[in-house]
Every structure is written in structure tokens, then in C-alpha cells.
């Protein structure tokens, strides 16, 4: 058995956590919208056609913000196609995913859905095939109260009050050759800056996200960040990061160490942002929006067999296993470690498409393995992120060295007098005994030790069988200011302390 130690102290503050770090993403892609959140003929559909069973699962996740409508799809999207009477909306070739887009769901319906889900909307504008003009009209349609062409059109469409969408993405992955309307860093930087200016003239209260690289392996990373921020720095509030992971080599110990790569990526983007801040003598600190992240690789081969130009095909339907859930836990821990700079993050995506929630058309809605760590972090990870002092045995893998078996983040919720320790044991064959010094938290007791574990790293959930699901029988005890916790091999743990007096 391995042994590790931790010190948790309320004075070791990283930052207050922005709840929006537990955001998600719905793109017009595959069955995310049609057959996912929206299926008018489903027995559980509400009066607008939204599936109430799906809404129920989203509510349990307590998702604070949902990015929409893309993704790659937004780079050739005409937002006007998705508003007004449904029967007049055009069917279009959707070029990013080569499907037919019926436009039966658009901006107004999605805003309604997000309200029902208890989420804010993070809206994206098309900077692939379009630009300043479409973006300024779109924000006028969404956020201007009345008395102008586009705001009055919204009212005519039945939405008297403005949507007041606060957060806007200036395009999506504009460095990617797969993007319709890909840009060089110079082209994007200039366009994003001028679009931001125009959008802020319509509504000065918005927050804007500038596109960072599509992932850390792009040949233009991190020069893309430096050059684009040189243009956009004073006009935007966030730079975006996207990253997906996979275990193609079937090397699980290596796979579970990917939090190290993520940490490096975040630290590099922080450094580049701060370099531009210094270069510009700016007072502003750029924050990070990690608005696409997840595991994505199980469905890649399957998707090559799909026919083009169909409606809502089953694209990107990864069936996640237990080790994927562990990595998702590690990703969330990494965001909490960077709570001072990562202010928004979106698990990509939410329903059916590389998603924690799956549906059968006309059938059930159910939870994938990755649903659980995401839910635990979102529900229990609100408050202040504390820096635990960790001393853990380490391992080396093909891609990483000196990786600690214990991966952990701690959240202190002063208002509710709760401390939550998220702890991953990355060791795939041995348990880890952890001594946690919590002596500064007098009068606290262990409320619960939730564990996600399974003997088979490849175990999956289905509509019929929740093989991978958490239990609350974790082994922890608190004596003399120390929590003694036993973390099973390859396990995700949520140890919750609560003040008792
Ligand atoms: O989330 C799936 C796709 O991944 C998104 O459309 C795109 O932005 C990214 O490449």
C-alpha cells in the first residue's frame, strides 16, 4: 500500500471559485439538440418540445453556464435562420459536420431551454463566414430592449424582454484548418478586436472571449495567443482554451497522468497573457475560459462510417468507461488549482455528443461514467479553492515524469461551513493511505466520503445498467485534527467535512 500526506489550511487560499468553471456546451451537432435536449414527440417532452427527463439530469449537475450554438458549427451559421416562425426556417447544409440543419431550435428556444435548466447562456458569434455586421445585429436582437430594427424583430417573435446574454465568444477555433473561414492570427486578431468594439457599442455590459489555440499541439501554439492578444487584449476579458484527451495506446497509467499536460497548457497560456499585459503596460489581467474540454476518442472510427447530409446522426457518441471518469476528475481538480485564472470552463458537451448524459431516441435518458465527477465538483466545489500541501509517492510514464499518485484539490465553503477534499488515487493497482492535517478546522466532522471505484477500468454504463456509480462508504476517520483516508486503487474520492457546533 502507498502512503501520502496533505495539509489543508483555510489561510492557503488560491482564489474564490467562479461557479462558471462548471459550465457545459450544447452544439448543433449530432443528437445534442435534436434527440438530445429537444424531441417534440418524446413522451416526456414539455410544451416546447424539450425533454423533461434530460432537463432533470442537467439540473442535478447544476450547470451554471452553457456555451451555444458551436463549436465548429458556428463558423458557417446564420443566426437569422433560427429565429421567427418555425415553419419559415430554412433547412441548410451544415458544413462543419456535413449534416442537414433544420433550424427548429434557434436562439430564442435555446435561451428558454437554458432558463429551464437554471443556466446562463455563453453565446458564440460567427467569425468564419461572417463578421462585424452579423455580430452587431445579433447582439442587438438579443440584448437591446426595444425601438430598433433587430430588437423589435425579437419582440415580434414573442420575446418582449431582452435576453441580456452577458458572455460572448468571438468565433470558435479560428486557427484550425478544419474551420470554415480559418484565419491567420493577424486576420483573426484584427477581426476579433473590431467585432468586440462594435458589440460593446451595442451593449457595454457584455464580457467577451477571444479564441485561443484549438489545443496545445497546434503548430501555431502559443504564438497564436501572443499575436491575437496583441490585438484583442484591451477589448476582451478572456482567452479560450480547448483540449480533448484519449487513451489510444491503452496505457492507463499514462492516461491518468494527463492532468500534468493540462496544467502545463494552462500555465503557458497564463504566461503568454501576462507577457502581453506587460508589453502593453496594461492594468488588466486576462482570465482564461477553458470552454471545451473532455475525453474524446472512442467514437472517432465509428463516425467515419456515417453518411453525410442526414438530420441528427449519432456523431461523437463516446461511450465512456471508468478510467475516463477518473481523468475527468483530474481535469476538474486541475481547474480548481488554477481558480485564480480559469474563471469559466465548459465540459464539451452536455447531451449525447461526447457527453455525460445520453439519450435513446423516444427512450431513456441516462448517466455516463463521467457524469459523476462532474456532478460532484459542480455541487460540492463551490467556495474558495485552497492550496493543499501534498507529499505523495510518484511515478513515471511514457509521456510524464514525477507524477504524484495523489491528485487533489480542496474547496472551503465558509458560508456553509464545509470543506470538500477532492482526491484521485492515480495508482491503478494499489490503494493509497492519506493522512490529512485539517487541524485548523476545529469542530469539523466527516459528513460523507463518496467514492467512485470499479475493478475494471474499462467498465461502462448503459441505459439499463449503471455499473459505474458512486457510493458513500469511503473509508475515512477524523481524530486529533487528522483525517485518515484510505483511497482504493484507481478511485475518485469526495471527502466532505462539515462544522458540527
Ligand atoms: O466539441 C466538438 C468540437 O470540438 C467542436 O465543435 C470544436 O470546437 C472542437 O474542435
Amino acid at each position: 500500500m502507498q502512503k501520502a500526506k496533505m495539509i489543508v489550511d483555510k489561510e492557503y487560499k488560491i482564489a474564490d471559485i467562479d461557479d462558471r468553471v462548471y459550465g457545459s456546451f450544447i452544439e448543433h451537432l449530432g443528437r445534442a439538440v435534436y434527440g438530445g435536449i429537444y424531441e417534440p414527440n418524446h413522451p416526456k417532452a414539455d410544451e416546447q418540445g424539450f425533454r423533461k427527463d434530460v432537463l432533470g439530469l442537467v439540473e442535478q449537475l447544476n450547470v451554471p453556464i452553457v456555451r451555444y450554438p458551436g463549436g465548429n458549427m458556428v463558423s458557417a451559421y446564420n443566426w437569422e435562420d433560427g429565429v421567427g416562425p418555425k415553419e419559415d426556417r430554412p433547412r441548410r447544409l451544415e458544413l462543419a459536420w456535413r449534416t442537414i440543419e433544420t433550424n427548429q431550435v434557434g436562439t430564442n428556444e435555446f435561451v428558454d431551454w437554458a432558463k429551464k435548466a437554471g443556466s446562463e447562456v455563453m453565446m458564440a458569434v460567427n467569425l468564419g463566414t461572417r463578421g462585424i455586421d452579423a455580430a452587431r445585429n445579433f447582439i442587438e436582437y438579443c440584448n437591446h430592449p426595444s425601438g430598433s430594427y433587430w430588437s423589435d424583430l425579437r419582440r415580434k417573435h414573442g420575446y418582449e424582454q431582452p435576453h441580456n446574454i452577458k458572455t460572448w465568444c468571438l468565433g470558435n477555433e479560428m486557427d484550425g484548418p478544419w474551420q470554415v473561414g480559418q484565419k491567420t492570427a493577424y486576420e483573426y486578431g484584427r477581426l476579433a478586436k473590431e467585432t468586440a468594439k462594435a458589440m460593446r457599442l451595442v451593449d457595454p455590459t457584455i464580457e467577451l472571449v477571444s479564441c485561443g489555440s484549438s489545443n496545445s499541439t497546434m503548430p501555431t501554439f502559443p504564438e497564436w495567443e501572443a499575436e491575437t492578444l496583441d490585438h484583442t487584449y484591451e477589448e476582451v476579458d478572456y482567452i479560450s482554451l480547448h483540449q480533448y484527451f484519449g487513451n489510444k495506446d491503452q496505457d492507463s497509467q499514462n492516461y491518468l497522468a494527463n492532468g500534468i499536460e493540462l496544467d502545463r497548457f494552462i500555465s503557458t497560456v497564463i504566461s503568454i497573457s501576462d507577457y502581453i499585459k506587460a508589453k502593453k503596460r496594461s492594468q488588466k489581467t486576462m482570465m482564461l475560459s477553458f470552454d471545451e474540454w473532455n475525453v474524446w476518442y472512442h467514437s472517432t472510427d465509428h463516425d467515419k462510417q456515417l453518411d453525410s447530409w442526414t438530420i441528427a446522426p449519432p456523431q461523437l457518441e463516446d461511450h465512456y468507461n471508468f478510467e475516463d471518469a477518473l481523468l475527468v476528475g483530474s481535469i476538474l481538480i486541475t481547474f480548481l488549482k488554477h481558480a485564480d485564472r480559469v474563471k469559466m470552463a465548459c465540459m464539451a458537451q452536455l447531451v449525447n455528443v461526447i457527453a455525460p448524459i445520453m439519450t435513446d431516441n423516444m427512450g431513456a435518458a441516462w448517466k455516463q461514467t463521467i457524469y459523476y465527477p462532474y456532478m460532484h465538483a459542480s455541487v460540492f466545489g463551490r467556495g474558495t479553492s485552497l492550496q493543499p500541501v501534498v507529499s505523495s509517492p510518484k511515478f513515471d510514464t511514457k509521456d510524464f515524469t514525477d507524477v504524484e499518485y495523489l491528485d487533489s484539490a480542496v474547496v472551503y465553503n465558509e458560508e456553509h461551513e464545509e470543506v470538500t477534499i477532492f482526491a484521485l488515487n492515480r495508482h491503478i493497482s494499489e490503494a493509497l493511505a492519506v493522512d490529512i492535517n485539517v487541524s485548523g478546522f476545529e469542530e469539523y466532522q466527516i459528513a460523507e466520503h463518496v467514492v467512485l471505484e470499479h475493478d475494471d477500468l474499462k467498465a461502462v454504463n448503459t441505459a439499463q445498467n449503471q455499473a459505474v456509480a458512486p457510493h458513500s462508504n469511503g473509508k475515512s476517520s477524523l481524530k486529533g485534527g487528522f483525517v485518515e483516508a484510505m483511497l482504493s486503487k484507481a478511485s475518485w474520492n469526495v471527502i466532505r467535512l462539515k462544522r458540527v457546533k
Side-chain angles (χ1 to χ4, degrees), residues 25 27 29 67 70-73 97 172-173 178-179 214 242 244 292 296 316 348-349 353-354:
F25 178 28
E27 178 168 2
L29 192 189
R67 188 163 174 255
N72 295 338
M73 171 269 189
W97 304 102
N172 174 72
E173 296 188 351
W178 56 86
Q179 211 66 227
S214 297
H242 291 181
Y244 294 97
E292 282 190 37
W296 174 13
L316 280 67
Q349 300 190 7
V353 172
I354 43 174

Side-chain angles (χ1 to χ4, degrees), residues 30 60 67 122 142 169 173-174 211 238-239 243 303 348 362-363 396 405 426 431 449-450 459 480:
Q60 288 177 50
R67 188 163 174 255
M122 178 194 284
C142 290
C169 300
E173 296 188 351
M174 299 308 306
C211 278
Y238 306 89
I239 176 127
Q243 192 84 342
D303 285 12
M362 299 303 286
D396 294 339
Y405 282 117
R426 287 173 164 140
H449 178 170
V450 180

